[in-house]
Amino acid sequence: MPLDLSDNIQYLKGVGPTVAKKLERIGLLKIGDLLYYFPRSYEDRRELKLLSSAREGERATFRFTVVEHTTFFYRGKTHPKLKVRDESGFAYLYCFNRNFITNILKIGTSFFLTGVYTRKYRVPSFSQFDYELDGDKVDLGIVPIYRLTAGLNQKMLRRLVESVLETHISAVEEDIPEFIKKGYGIDTKGELIREIHFPKDQGSLRRAKEHYSYEEFFKYQIVCALTKNHHQGAKKQRIPLNGELKEVFFKSLPFSLTAAQERVLGEIERDLQLEQPMNRLIQGDVGSGKTVVSLAAALDVVERGGQVAFMAPTEILAKQHFYTIQNYFVSLGSKRPVNVEFISGSVKGLTRKQIVLELLKGNIDIACGTHALFSEDVDFSNLSLVIIDEQQKFGVLQRGALRAKGKDPDCIVMSATPIPRTLSMTLYGDLDISVIDEMPKGREAVETHIVKQAEIKKVYQTVKEQIGEGRQVYFIYPLIEEGQTNDVKNAVDAYERLKKEVFGDLRIGLLHGRMSDSRKDDVMKMFRDQEYDILVATTVVEVGLHVPNATVMVIEQAERFGLSSIHQLRGRIGRGGQHSYCFLVPDRTTGREAWSRLRILKDTHDGFKIAEYDLKLRGPGEIIGKRQSGVPQFIIGDLDINSKLIYRAQKDARKFVEGEIGTKQERENYLKQFMESEMYRNAMLYFGG
Ligand code: ADP
Ligand code: MG
């Protein structure tokens, strides 16, 4: 029986259970997954280099014939050394630990070699190289380079992808309307996929990527358009705003709002009084005062008898918001007690039952928590406003799910990641946008330095001084990710080292994503309560930890972070008004380009500008997070090359849903098919039907 794209990958010829396990590690489970496993880069092997014209350090492709097998000695072992030639001369291949190679590259065999040419050993030679035997088409031309894991190699993957394309290309279904594809002259989806794996030339690759992205984005925008429509026309209760509670709140604050905060609150309050549910994104740098604004809006809603759900992406952050909100509202006095409760996955048993009951009775005004706020057992009596913090971690689908808990409640999402306006308009097609583009007065910019590894002692000195003055310090490391190579100096190692070798007398805490939520919570609490001087952490702290006493942040392997991430991270310090320092410490091996990229952070403190740089330099994935739910992965990586077409996708999708383009028949057929798609099914799962 012929295999299906949805069949287990292990049934594919040349795979079997062992290889299947390895493929699973890179996310390939079904045969069809191979088609969508796009290359991380390409190697252009079309132009062959001659040895006589190769330059020191140059990476290029050659065509060689094996002349002689010898060996060389290194670290107590013999390794194969091959003499090869092309029409212009000879070279040697130093094959470290590749003992099997002589069985493949036999004397007289001709083959293609791609590698770094060097004359380091006086003769032309190669020690880092890939090779392909003559005659295999998939290994020539512009060759795909895939992300791999141990036990897999490029050749294998290339052949697997090629064979699936061979047998199944016609089984790839179209998923955007025919008439739209025709209008742009877009190839069949199967052909696009083939071209992305095995491009004919750079131009056609680029076009295939653009077209593919257009399709992905069109579908995404269809979901946005449907959600938007789904919520339009929904009637809300019209109760005019009074604003007394909010005024009491403002009087209790030791500051007055900035002009930007006033403006944004005005925009929100206007929305609150419209019939259509509000869907608004508030963007603003860390500390620009988004939370305060959203809480003022929350009080408006509470005052007129509505309930508010305040959601954050992590337990830690949600807890912290919960405390903040409680603190703020304690000072409201007896004017109108505001009941705030906390819900997350860790709130269980009787406590949970009680909270759920009180919510349902309407006795809780503000429920603060994680996505547990939209678990099945949680219901509100009158959910009127949903506030989502750090919204880039949620997609349009989750927003829809939360809204479905109420009768089309108003919705505010807050993001501290300043997304360039052009990008946010496309990605958050279902939202209106407000920007807080002004920091409260008296905020000092974080003094930022880029420090060589060799000079890390100076950093340690500053750390000690600051701690001596009673301040606290963060050390930040790149994320611990499963299967990462050991060159990632992870937070755990650093923690041990700093403790043993550098700051023996100080109190050091450790925080990373693999710890249990309750353990994380404990550590955060201890740092906040100044039971630790230093917190060693991964980017877990990026989202919103508020410890005003912290004045120093050391970011190791800074070259691995996006600029926006670093900017957010450093927003964690200097929150108490003291002068503060951020030290970016790139790895020893960091190239000049990465260094100059980091320099932008030294001179720029405007999150939007920094985001623009990130967008230009590294693409949108850096800014919005690679795993943003609902946004197709491929687009995120390549949006920079094709943003024009992507805007068209948004317009086209909206027009199509609203009936401005395409026939009624086309629309009905398409939406029917679309509603059977995985993307739509997932969306509806969230919406609850
Ligand atoms: P964001 O949510 O944008 O990170 P917050 O609303 O949490 O910002 O505010 C950050 C800090 O600044 C809080 O301690 C808050 O009390 C304070 N703050 C907010 N608005 C102002 C203002 N207009 N003037 C001075 N301090 C402010
Ligand atoms: Mg915040």
Side-chain angles (χ1 to χ4, degrees):
M1 211 173 71
L3 292 168
D4 225 41
L5 283 174
S6 59
D7 282 332
N8 192 309
I9 204 163
Q10 74 169 26
Y11 302 123
L12 209 56
K13 202 169 152 229
V15 177
T18 326
V19 176
K21 274 238 172 61
K22 290 170 185 155
L23 292 170
E24 186 180 339
R25 247 187 270 150
I26 49 175
L28 303 176
L29 302 168
K30 295 178 291 185
I31 291 174
D33 292 342
L34 275 165
L35 293 179
Y36 302 94
Y37 194 68
F38 292 118
R40 94 177 134 72
S41 62
Y42 301 85
E43 207 163 88
D44 195 340
R45 294 182 174 173
R46 288 170 306 173
E47 290 220 350
L48 295 181
K49 197 91 196 169
L50 285 179
L51 282 169
S52 57
S53 64
R55 279 180 320 229
E56 175 66 34
E58 184 182 14
R59 185 180 169 86
T61 301
F62 301 80
R63 182 168 189 188
F64 290 141
T65 305
V66 184
V67 181
E68 197 181 304
H69 288 170
T70 56
T71 57
F72 70 103
F73 204 68
Y74 180 75
R75 292 230 167 134
K77 280 200 282 187
T78 40
H79 307 263
K81 176 175 160 188
L82 272 57
K83 186 176 180 185
V84 299
R85 67 165 169 78
D86 69 5
E87 60 194 71
S88 72
F90 290 95
Y92 288 93
L93 313 185
Y94 289 84
C95 312
F96 291 91
N97 298 314
R98 292 162 96 166
N99 288 320
F100 54 87
I101 204 166
T102 46
N103 301 335
I104 302 163
L105 299 182
K106 297 193 176 107
I107 292 171
T109 306
S110 60
F111 65 102
F112 290 90
L113 175 144
T114 301
V116 181
Y117 173 90
T118 177
R119 291 191 64 101
K120 224 173 11 194
Y121 312 103
R122 299 240 177 104
V123 288
S125 57
F126 298 85
S127 54
Q128 310 159 28
F129 62 86
D130 296 325
Y131 61 93
E132 313 283 354
L133 292 186
D134 243 8
D136 259 331
K137 208 175 90 239
V138 291
D139 301 322
L140 292 175
I142 300 175
V143 176
I145 307 291
Y146 299 99
R147 203 164 44 80
L148 296 177
T149 186
L152 297 175
N153 63 48
Q154 298 295 348
K155 259 189 230 233
M156 260 164 89
L157 224 58
R158 250 176 249 150
R159 274 168 189 62
L160 288 175
V161 172
E162 162 76 3
S163 81
V164 177
L165 278 169
E166 195 102 307
T167 48
H168 286 83
I169 194 162
S170 56
V172 177
E173 283 172 21
E174 296 302 335
D175 49 16
I176 81 163
E178 197 57 41
F179 81 95
I180 287 185
K181 291 194 71 143
K182 281 221 184 86
Y184 290 113
I186 298 178
D187 250 336
T188 62
K189 190 161 176 199
E191 284 303 331
L192 291 179
I193 290 173
R194 183 206 292 283
E195 187 59 31
I196 291 169
H197 285 287
F198 301 108
K200 285 191 271 300
D201 55 55
Q202 300 291 355
S204 68
L205 170 62
R206 195 187 154 93
R207 238 201 21 218
K209 280 187 164 184
E210 276 194 20
H211 285 173
Y212 190 88
S213 300
Y214 174 88
E215 297 200 352
E216 291 280 272
F217 214 61
F218 181 88
K219 285 182 290 175
Y220 177 68
Q221 293 296 342
I222 289 275
V223 175
C224 286
L226 289 177
T227 343
K228 200 168 174 159
N229 276 7
H230 180 83
H231 290 280
Q232 250 163 22
K235 291 275 190 275
K236 287 189 304 182
Q237 269 180 295
R238 301 287 93 228
I239 306 172
L241 288 180
N242 188 339
E244 265 181 54
L245 208 50
K246 179 188 70 188
E247 288 310 321
V248 179
F249 171 52
F250 285 155
K251 283 211 185 86
S252 76
L253 293 175
F255 53 78
S256 48
L257 295 192
T258 62
Q261 283 173 310
E262 294 274 12
R263 172 170 43 76
V264 170
L265 183 58
E267 287 165 2
I268 292 171
E269 293 188 326
R270 211 172 44 236
D271 281 1
L272 283 175
Q273 300 181 76
L274 292 177
E275 302 230 318
Q276 237 179 47
M278 159 167 64
N279 273 308
R280 193 165 279 280
L281 173 67
I282 307 182
Q283 291 199 324
D285 248 333
V286 177
S288 61
K290 298 179 294 294
T291 310
V292 170
V293 168
S294 74
L295 290 179
L299 289 178
D300 283 336
V301 168
V302 169
E303 189 174 57
R304 49 183 206 194
Q307 286 174 304
V308 180
F310 194 121
M311 178 164 77
T314 65
E315 171 112 15
I316 296 172
L317 190 57
K319 236 336 173 359
Q320 191 179 285
H321 273 308
F322 172 63
Y323 294 133
T324 310
I325 297 173
Q326 274 189 327
N327 268 341
Y328 273 137
F329 291 173
V330 157
S331 54
L332 290 179
S334 58
K335 180 80 192 165
R336 153 78 162 86
V338 176
N339 293 326
V340 190
E341 271 297 350
F342 178 77
I343 296 194
S344 76
S346 66
V347 177
K348 294 189 183 112
L350 209 59
T351 324
R352 187 181 182 100
K353 272 201 185 122
Q354 217 143 34
I355 293 176
V356 167
L357 190 68
E358 293 299 308
L359 260 181
L360 201 56
K361 283 203 225 153
N363 293 338
I364 294 170
D365 302 304
I366 301 181
C368 183
T370 58
H371 56 278
L373 285 169
F374 61 97
S375 330
E376 228 170 308
D377 64 325
V378 178
D379 248 316
F380 296 78
S381 79
N382 184 18
L383 179 61
S384 307
L385 174 65
V386 174
I387 301 171
I388 307 177
D389 191 21
E390 301 300 348
Q391 144 283 343
Q392 76 276 13
K393 302 287 189 295
F394 297 101
V396 59
L397 306 183
Q398 283 92 332
R399 289 200 293 276
L402 248 188
R403 283 197 298 245
K405 284 280 177 198
K407 268 186 102 188
D408 293 297
D410 290 308
C411 187
I412 296 175
V413 288
M414 304 192 286
S415 173
T417 314
I419 298 168
R421 197 171 176 86
T422 47
L423 181 59
S424 56
M425 271 165 38
T426 0
L427 284 179
Y428 307 111
D430 59 331
L431 300 175
D432 298 312
I433 298 172
S434 291
V435 180
I436 303 184
D437 50 5
E438 177 188 358
M439 292 298 262
K441 271 196 235 40
R443 288 280 167 79
E444 232 187 304
V446 174
E447 187 180 320
T448 302
H449 297 278
I450 306 166
V451 184
K452 288 199 189 99
Q453 277 287 348
E455 289 168 11
I456 191 83
K457 290 239 165 66
K458 286 190 203 155
V459 172
Y460 293 157
Q461 193 51 40
T462 310
V463 168
K464 284 180 183 158
E465 279 165 20
Q466 286 285 309
I467 293 175
E469 288 175 27
R471 303 280 101 81
Q472 286 163 285
V473 174
Y474 293 102
F475 276 79
I476 309 291
Y477 293 84
L479 218 52
I480 302 183
E481 261 190 84
E482 211 128 17
Q484 286 246 312
T485 45
N486 51 14
D487 66 342
V488 177
K489 205 190 315 176
N490 66 45
V492 183
D493 286 352
Y495 168 74
E496 298 292 342
R497 190 176 49 80
L498 290 175
K499 222 166 125 151
K500 271 200 214 102
E501 296 166 23
V502 190
F503 303 113
D505 48 339
L506 299 175
R507 301 162 306 168
I508 309 183
L510 172 66
L511 184 74
H512 61 72
R514 295 236 195 111
M515 302 187 330
S516 72
D517 280 348
S518 69
R519 179 78 195 117
K520 272 190 252 177
D521 247 23
D522 290 345
V523 173
M524 307 274 301
K525 257 184 234 136
M526 287 179 68
F527 188 60
R528 200 190 50 210
D529 299 343
Q530 304 189 22
E531 287 171 44
Y532 291 131
D533 305 302
I534 295 177
L535 185 64
V536 174
T538 59
T539 38
V540 176
V541 294
E542 183 179 340
V543 268
L545 180 59
H546 183 61
V547 179
N549 191 45
T551 54
V552 182
M553 179 173 282
V554 183
I555 303 181
E556 296 245 30
Q557 299 183 353
E559 80 284 356
R560 286 176 182 260
F561 294 84
L563 298 180
S564 297
S565 301
I566 294 180
H567 181 64
Q568 287 215 3
L569 282 164
R570 72 178 169 184
R572 303 290 120 223
I573 55 174
R575 293 166 77 92
Q578 297 103 343
H579 189 75
S580 54
Y581 308 86
C582 176
F583 297 107
L584 308 177
V585 191
D587 209 58
R588 271 176 231 285
T589 57
T590 302
R592 197 182 297 166
E593 220 173 284
W595 270 85
S596 65
R597 187 171 66 86
L598 290 174
R599 231 164 265 139
I600 291 165
L601 289 163
K602 199 169 143 63
D603 306 323
T604 314
H605 294 269
D606 176 337
F608 282 91
K609 279 213 187 99
I610 289 166
E612 297 275 3
Y613 280 116
D614 251 357
L615 185 65
K616 241 188 267 150
L617 294 171
R618 310 203 353 166
E622 282 308 321
I623 301 169
I624 55 180
K626 295 216 161 55
R627 282 170 203 283
Q628 156 112 1
S629 34
V631 183
Q633 299 298 302
F634 193 58
I635 283 178
I636 289 178
D638 289 78
L639 189 63
D640 51 327
I641 61 161
N642 57 16
S643 45
K644 259 209 197 107
L645 198 65
I646 281 188
Y647 297 136
R648 302 282 279 274
Q650 183 178 29
K651 284 208 185 92
D652 292 345
R654 279 191 186 171
K655 282 186 180 166
F656 184 53
V657 168
E658 281 157 21
E660 288 173 41
I661 55 171
T663 64
K664 190 158 171 266
Q665 192 61 43
E666 277 164 334
R667 185 162 29 263
E668 277 171 7
N669 287 347
Y670 181 71
L671 291 181
K672 188 162 159 267
Q673 182 200 336
F674 186 77
M675 286 177 189
E676 281 159 15
S677 72
E678 200 172 340
M679 189 167 181
Y680 189 76
R681 270 206 310 275
N682 286 340
M684 285 308 113
L685 210 67
Y686 281 115
F687 291 131

Short mmCIF file of all heavy atoms in Angstrom, two decimals, residues 286-287 290-291 317 320-321 389-390 414 416 544 572 575, ligand 2:
data_model
loop_
_atom_site.label_atom_id
_atom_site.label_comp_id
_atom_site.label_asym_id
_atom_site.label_seq_id
_atom_site.Cartn_x
_atom_site.Cartn_y
_atom_site.Cartn_z
N VAL A 286 9.63 48.78 28.94
CA VAL A 286 9.56 48.34 30.32
C VAL A 286 9.59 49.57 31.23
O VAL A 286 10.42 50.45 31.04
CB VAL A 286 10.77 47.45 30.66
CG1 VAL A 286 10.74 47.06 32.12
CG2 VAL A 286 10.81 46.24 29.77
N GLY A 287 8.67 49.65 32.16
CA GLY A 287 8.67 50.75 33.11
C GLY A 287 8.01 52.02 32.61
O GLY A 287 8.01 53.04 33.30
N LYS A 290 2.63 50.93 31.76
CA LYS A 290 1.47 50.29 31.13
C LYS A 290 0.53 49.71 32.18
O LYS A 290 -0.68 49.85 32.08
CB LYS A 290 1.94 49.14 30.22
CG LYS A 290 2.82 49.58 29.08
CD LYS A 290 3.27 48.40 28.23
CE LYS A 290 4.19 47.45 28.97
NZ LYS A 290 5.49 48.01 29.33
N THR A 291 1.14 49.06 33.19
CA THR A 291 0.32 48.38 34.18
C THR A 291 -0.59 49.35 34.90
O THR A 291 -1.79 49.09 35.09
CB THR A 291 1.22 47.65 35.20
OG1 THR A 291 2.16 46.86 34.47
CG2 THR A 291 0.41 46.76 36.10
N LEU A 317 5.35 35.86 37.04
CA LEU A 317 4.90 37.18 36.66
C LEU A 317 3.47 37.44 37.14
O LEU A 317 3.15 38.54 37.62
CB LEU A 317 5.00 37.33 35.14
CG LEU A 317 4.80 38.73 34.60
CD1 LEU A 317 5.77 39.70 35.24
CD2 LEU A 317 4.98 38.73 33.10
N GLN A 320 3.47 38.18 40.77
CA GLN A 320 3.99 39.51 41.04
C GLN A 320 2.95 40.59 40.74
O GLN A 320 2.77 41.53 41.50
CB GLN A 320 5.20 39.71 40.14
CG GLN A 320 6.00 40.92 40.46
CD GLN A 320 7.17 40.96 39.50
OE1 GLN A 320 8.13 40.23 39.64
NE2 GLN A 320 7.05 41.80 38.50
N HIS A 321 2.25 40.41 39.64
CA HIS A 321 1.16 41.34 39.32
C HIS A 321 0.11 41.32 40.42
O HIS A 321 -0.43 42.35 40.80
CB HIS A 321 0.50 40.96 37.99
CG HIS A 321 1.17 41.57 36.81
ND1 HIS A 321 1.43 42.91 36.72
CD2 HIS A 321 1.62 41.03 35.65
CE1 HIS A 321 2.02 43.16 35.56
NE2 HIS A 321 2.15 42.04 34.90
N ASP A 389 -0.86 40.61 29.91
CA ASP A 389 0.45 41.25 29.94
C ASP A 389 1.44 40.45 29.10
O ASP A 389 1.30 39.25 28.94
CB ASP A 389 0.95 41.32 31.38
CG ASP A 389 2.18 42.22 31.50
OD1 ASP A 389 2.40 43.06 30.59
OD2 ASP A 389 2.93 42.08 32.47
N GLU A 390 2.44 41.13 28.59
CA GLU A 390 3.50 40.49 27.82
C GLU A 390 2.90 39.64 26.73
O GLU A 390 3.15 38.45 26.62
CB GLU A 390 4.39 39.64 28.74
CG GLU A 390 5.04 40.42 29.86
CD GLU A 390 5.93 41.54 29.35
OE1 GLU A 390 6.23 41.59 28.14
OE2 GLU A 390 6.32 42.39 30.16
N MET A 414 -0.91 44.02 26.69
CA MET A 414 0.22 44.92 26.93
C MET A 414 1.49 44.24 26.49
O MET A 414 1.71 43.07 26.80
CB MET A 414 0.34 45.22 28.41
CG MET A 414 -0.92 45.80 29.01
SD MET A 414 -0.60 46.45 30.66
CE MET A 414 -0.44 44.96 31.61
N ALA A 416 5.74 44.80 26.30
CA ALA A 416 6.92 45.59 26.57
C ALA A 416 7.92 45.42 25.44
O ALA A 416 8.99 45.99 25.46
CB ALA A 416 7.55 45.18 27.89
N GLY A 544 9.31 40.77 33.15
CA GLY A 544 8.64 41.47 34.23
C GLY A 544 9.03 41.37 35.68
O GLY A 544 8.33 41.92 36.50
N ARG A 572 15.10 45.47 33.83
CA ARG A 572 14.88 44.91 35.17
C ARG A 572 15.68 45.64 36.23
O ARG A 572 15.43 45.46 37.41
CB ARG A 572 15.29 43.43 35.22
CG ARG A 572 14.62 42.51 34.26
CD ARG A 572 13.18 42.30 34.59
NE ARG A 572 12.35 42.76 33.50
CZ ARG A 572 11.25 43.45 33.63
NH1 ARG A 572 10.83 43.79 34.82
NH2 ARG A 572 10.55 43.82 32.59
N ARG A 575 15.32 50.16 38.68
CA ARG A 575 13.90 50.48 38.86
C ARG A 575 13.64 51.19 40.17
O ARG A 575 12.53 51.61 40.43
CB ARG A 575 13.07 49.20 38.77
CG ARG A 575 13.10 48.60 37.38
CD ARG A 575 12.57 47.18 37.37
NE ARG A 575 11.13 47.12 37.43
CZ ARG A 575 10.34 47.09 36.37
NH1 ARG A 575 10.86 47.11 35.17
NH2 ARG A 575 9.04 47.02 36.50
MG MG B 2 5.24 45.39 33.17
#
